[in-house]
Amino acid sequence: MAEKNAELQVGVQNHAFDVLDGTIGPSVVDISSLYNDSGMFTYDPGFTSTASCESKITYIDGDEGTLLYRGYPIEQLANHGDFLETCYLLLYGELPTKAEKDDFVHRVTYHTMIHEQMSRFFSGFRRDAHPMAIMVGTVGALSAFYHDSTDIADPHQRMVASLRMIAKMPTIAAMAYKYHVGQPFVYPRNDLDYASNFLHMCFAVPCEEYKVNPVLARAMDRIFILHADHEQNASTSTVRLAGSSGANPFACIAAGIACLWGPAHGGANEAALTMLSEIGSVDRIPEFIERAKDKDDPFRLMGFGHRVYKNYDPRARIMQKTTHEVLGELGIKDDPLLDVAMELEKIALNDDYFVDKKLYPNIDFYSGITLRALGFPTNMFTVLFALARTVGWIAQWKEMVEDPSQRIGRPRQLYTGYEQRDYVSIDQRR
Ligand code: CMC
């Protein structure tokens, strides 16, 4: 029960606010009445102290290094579950029964094809376009093809849009890849599981048989689980903000993909592998560590640090294990980049700069090495992140749309520009 037990004194005026408790994690001060009561806004650039919404989906304890989807630890889901089960959990709140899971898998599987006309969209892009550019465009274009699932007020249409996006994202991602490498598109196959189907659409060619390696498919599936949701990160907040205006879900997810692309967010997996290649050998690590610590050098260790985790990112641990499994399965005994990564991690974790700032490897540190071993070029890494995160975005979007207290998101600002001034005609300007 909320009680007015937070107070803010401004001059001689006192303002009282409710403190709301979650099930776990920090409580929040409900300052929504502040502007009406005092005429002031709060100021929190980067939202470091702001809870933008109430959510029941994902919980992170950054100090402990804990990540829970609907209460279940990520380690348990990654080790014992599979991606579609995780999708069901994120969307509906509970792990599915056998019958519910079969039904869900069936429904996703039978939505994997995309409208044939959509394939022509791809040829409008340059062959050297970044696959994330293709993703932003083509996922946004879904709203032009699936008019029967854009009415956000209709629960059935919301459900169909959710399934369509989870089902079609691997097809679109694989097509972006095939287009980029100049190979024919490969249609989805309903006899394959989600991850195997994706690998098949990426790596099969019409001229020979392609057998999906089950160990690699399992690794792919686990990578999808690890990326499925991460509470109110930048891209998820983007999806929620876009959706708060009533925009259709395909447009909202395209907005999320655009936000994810940045190197501080999902683009870090690509940037981390590029950095490891640039370092190249273990003896060059100290030089890069020094650069990362130099305030005058913009260089940062990519795949290190996190806004919320001030401990080892639990996803990075599982990813590191997955890296070893994939390299083992492929018989890659020596991967110079893995050697650089492991040594870099060791050195950074013992360096006062990184220790004091609580900078630990995040999920992106090892994912690049794994994805590269699976056969993906670096520019596909963020696409895979987007594919997996789609369910998180959708679940968060659905939760927001179904919240009766939902209003359009509209932050305010601290204005530091000019006060009102008069227009000057062009001949009098200096
Ligand atoms: N290398 C060197 N110094 C760093 C790093 C890094 N990777 N990350 C943070 N710092 C320093 C930063 O310079 C700052 O120092 P000071 O307090 O002296 O100014 C301090 O640590 C705090 O950093 P911040 O930028 O204020 O922290 P933030 O919470 O705004 O940024 C971050 C978080 C993830 C953007 C940042 O750590 C970063 O740029 N990391 C590299 C990019 C990366 O790996 N991103 C993937 C995040 S995980 C996947 C995802 O969720 O998308």
Side-chain angles (χ1 to χ4, degrees):
M1 199 48 197
E3 273 175 50
K4 288 214 181 299
N5 49 10
E7 278 199 7
L8 176 70
Q9 188 178 357
V10 184
V12 290
Q13 285 235 303
N14 273 334
H15 303 280
F17 304 101
D18 288 341
V19 173
L20 310 177
D21 298 324
T23 35
I24 36 176
S27 300
V28 301
V29 182
D30 177 359
I31 50 94
S32 50
S33 61
L34 178 69
Y35 178 61
N36 268 350
D37 291 355
S38 70
M40 285 195 306
F41 301 133
T42 55
Y43 180 59
D44 184 19
F47 308 127
T48 45
S49 298
T50 297
S52 62
C53 63
E54 183 187 328
S55 181
K56 293 182 168 52
I57 301 174
T58 293
Y59 175 74
I60 303 172
D61 184 328
D63 295 323
E64 291 296 321
T66 306
L67 169 61
L68 311 177
Y69 293 165
R70 300 282 190 185
Y72 295 101
I74 188 67
E75 294 81 359
Q76 293 181 21
L77 293 167
N79 289 329
H80 308 298
D82 62 44
F83 181 65
L84 282 187
E85 187 172 78
T86 305
C87 290
Y88 186 99
L89 174 69
L90 289 169
L91 280 176
Y92 301 114
E94 295 296 338
L95 285 168
T97 62
K98 170 88 175 66
E100 286 164 342
K101 185 173 174 189
D102 290 348
D103 177 57
F104 184 71
V105 170
H106 179 84
R107 286 189 293 152
V108 170
T109 305
Y110 283 84
H111 273 108
T112 48
M113 288 212 310
I114 59 167
H115 193 293
E116 191 60 19
Q117 213 176 323
M118 263 200 83
S119 58
R120 300 211 201 121
F121 255 77
F122 289 83
S123 51
F125 287 97
R126 286 168 52 139
R127 287 273 176 199
D128 61 355
H130 195 291
M132 279 300 274
I134 299 181
M135 292 298 287
V136 176
T138 47
V139 173
L142 286 172
S143 48
F145 286 89
Y146 298 101
H147 299 143
D148 59 346
S149 51
T150 52
D151 178 0
I152 66 161
D154 177 347
H156 178 73
Q157 292 203 24
R158 287 202 297 272
M159 190 269 292
V160 175
S162 308
L163 287 178
R164 279 189 168 140
M165 266 182 285
I166 294 166
K168 293 183 199 310
M169 207 55 86
T171 313
I172 297 172
M175 288 172 84
Y177 170 66
K178 286 298 201 191
Y179 183 74
H180 185 68
V181 293
Q183 290 179 3
F185 297 142
V186 174
Y187 284 96
R189 270 187 34 193
N190 289 354
D191 61 328
L192 296 176
D193 63 70
Y194 193 86
S196 303
N197 179 46
F198 177 61
L199 292 177
H200 183 264
M201 287 190 291
C202 286
F203 299 123
V205 285
C207 40
E208 62 184 28
E209 198 190 349
Y210 174 80
K211 274 210 158 48
V212 180
N213 178 328
V215 176
L216 302 188
R218 176 71 189 121
M220 188 80 261
D221 192 78
R222 195 178 304 131
I223 291 169
F224 291 158
I225 296 174
L226 296 181
H227 288 89
D229 195 42
H230 215 224
E231 52 117 311
Q232 310 311 319
N233 55 82
S235 57
T236 303
S237 300
T238 301
V239 170
R240 278 188 177 255
L241 196 57
S244 76
S245 72
N248 77 69
F250 303 110
C252 297
I253 301 305
I257 294 175
C259 177
L260 185 76
W261 195 358
H265 193 6
N269 51 16
E270 182 176 342
L273 196 87
T274 307
M275 177 194 75
L276 292 174
S277 314
E278 204 184 323
I279 298 175
S281 60
V282 167
D283 55 300
R284 295 194 62 207
I285 292 175
E287 180 194 323
F288 283 82
I289 293 267
E290 284 318 305
R291 283 189 60 196
K293 290 161 41 174
D294 182 355
K295 280 254 161 280
D296 299 323
D297 188 331
F299 174 79
R300 284 186 167 199
L301 282 191
M302 299 314 286
F304 253 78
H306 199 275
R307 171 63 63 80
V308 184
Y309 293 119
K310 300 302 166 201
N311 201 329
Y312 211 102
D313 178 343
R315 304 168 302 171
R317 270 190 219 291
I318 307 167
M319 186 59 83
Q320 191 196 45
K321 198 171 132 231
T322 305
T323 307
H324 287 291
E325 276 171 26
V326 167
L327 296 185
E329 176 64 16
L330 293 172
I332 303 172
K333 292 209 170 46
D334 292 309
D335 181 334
L337 294 195
L338 182 63
D339 294 344
V340 172
M342 292 183 58
E343 190 60 21
L344 183 64
E345 177 184 338
K346 204 157 78 190
I347 295 177
L349 292 183
N350 286 299
D351 187 295
D352 285 347
Y353 174 92
F354 292 90
V355 173
D356 292 348
K357 294 187 190 301
K358 300 188 174 150
L359 299 170
Y360 292 85
N362 60 50
I363 186 169
D364 292 322
F365 193 62
Y366 285 103
S367 64
I369 297 174
T370 322
L371 296 175
R372 190 183 62 136
L374 286 171
F376 292 102
T378 41
N379 60 13
M380 274 297 288
F381 295 176
T382 315
V383 172
L384 302 184
F385 193 155
L387 186 173
R389 181 57 56 86
T390 295
V391 64
W393 290 329
I394 286 285
Q396 301 268 352
W397 169 83
K398 218 167 134 288
E399 182 178 67
M400 181 193 70
V401 172
E402 290 167 7
D403 178 350
S405 66
Q406 187 265 326
R407 303 166 72 192
I408 188 168
R410 182 29 172 116
R412 301 304 298 266
Q413 63 177 1
L414 171 65
Y415 177 71
T416 53
Y418 284 108
E419 291 181 17
Q420 182 171 328
R421 50 187 181 153
D422 290 326
Y423 179 81
V424 181
S425 63
I426 196 159
D427 53 323
Q428 287 177 6
R429 286 178 216 158
R430 281 183 289 131

